[in-house]
Amino acid sequence: MPFVIEQNNATGAISYWRGGGHQSEADENGVSLAEYIHLLYGLIRQRNARRVLMIGGGGGTLATMLDRAGVETVIVDVDPAAFEIARDYFHLPEHIERHVADGAQFLKKEKRRFDAIVLDAFSGAEIPEHLVTRGFFALVKSRLATRGGLCLINLIVGDDDDPLPHEIGSRMGTIWRNVRLIDRPDW
């Protein structure tokens, strides 16, 4: 699938577009300019996570920011080009562990536990259906640290009437006692 890298000459910001979707935007140092990435980063840091799994890499800005804070980060993405783009344009450090794989298949084989698992994987504007099933969430829970493990999901919704967040939240609620939806009208 073709991609576009765009640089704003006035600010130095870099944007990554793929398949019509905006994947990442960062300053010249690889720090994300997307508010939701800073929200994810803040939630992960509040939990003092030491090992994070990211399913979906985009430009790797969250991984880069976590790495700079000393957090061990593992990225899984189905597209090998995503890792090259993240390295070449968004400063993804070479030592960050990367796997070209489907997130569910990776979790089935992976035995390590993570303090946080971030799902930010899209096919177009949609999260692949198999990554939002009750079975997938049970698999995620089995790979989280036993106390205080955190599962974070980025969703794109059409409008306030879109049932997707509540449907996914309900599925997650069958696995975890505490499920929260964070929404901002301008995101």
Side-chain angles (χ1 to χ4, degrees), residues 2-184:
F3 66 90
V4 174
I5 302 296
E6 175 182 72
Q7 180 173 4
N8 181 320
N9 290 333
T11 65
I14 302 286
S15 290
Y16 165 33
W17 301 82
R18 185 174 205 98
H22 192 236
Q23 300 294 313
S24 289
E25 184 176 19
D27 67 14
E28 65 276 2
N29 298 309
V31 174
S32 180
L33 297 176
E35 290 181 8
Y36 87 94
I37 292 292
H38 287 272
L39 173 65
L40 296 172
Y41 176 85
L43 292 169
I44 291 167
R45 297 296 293 143
Q46 280 181 337
R47 286 288 175 101
N48 294 316
R50 294 173 195 215
R51 180 183 294 151
V52 174
L53 172 66
M54 293 176 49
I55 299 173
T61 56
L62 178 59
T64 298
M65 292 166 57
L66 290 169
D67 181 71
R68 289 177 182 165
V71 178
E72 177 188 341
T73 306
V74 177
I75 308 173
V76 176
D77 200 297
V78 295
D79 184 4
F83 297 125
E84 293 174 28
I85 292 166
R87 181 195 65 226
D88 294 347
Y89 296 99
F90 294 95
H91 306 280
L92 183 70
E94 285 292 334
H95 65 268
I96 289 181
E97 186 179 336
R98 306 158 202 191
H99 299 272
V100 177
D102 171 78
Q105 295 303 315
F106 177 83
L107 280 177
K108 287 177 184 174
K109 295 177 184 175
E110 182 61 48
K111 300 303 179 205
R112 286 180 287 181
R113 290 185 178 256
F114 298 89
D115 300 310
I117 296 177
V118 177
L119 177 59
D120 194 5
F122 291 89
S123 177
E126 312 263 329
I127 293 179
E129 283 187 36
H130 72 285
L131 297 180
V132 290
T133 64
R134 186 182 184 288
F136 176 75
F137 293 135
L139 181 58
V140 167
K141 185 175 183 179
S142 75
R143 297 302 183 265
L144 285 171
T146 53
R147 296 191 69 94
L150 185 63
C151 174
L152 300 168
I153 301 175
N154 177 36
L155 294 176
I156 298 173
V157 297
D159 56 40
D160 287 342
D161 296 325
D162 191 331
L164 182 67
H166 298 289
E167 290 170 4
I168 292 174
S170 292
R171 282 181 224 143
M172 293 178 78
T174 66
I175 305 299
W176 289 283
R177 283 190 297 263
N178 296 312
V179 175
R180 298 209 184 355
L181 175 64
I182 300 172
D183 182 24
R184 251 189 80 154

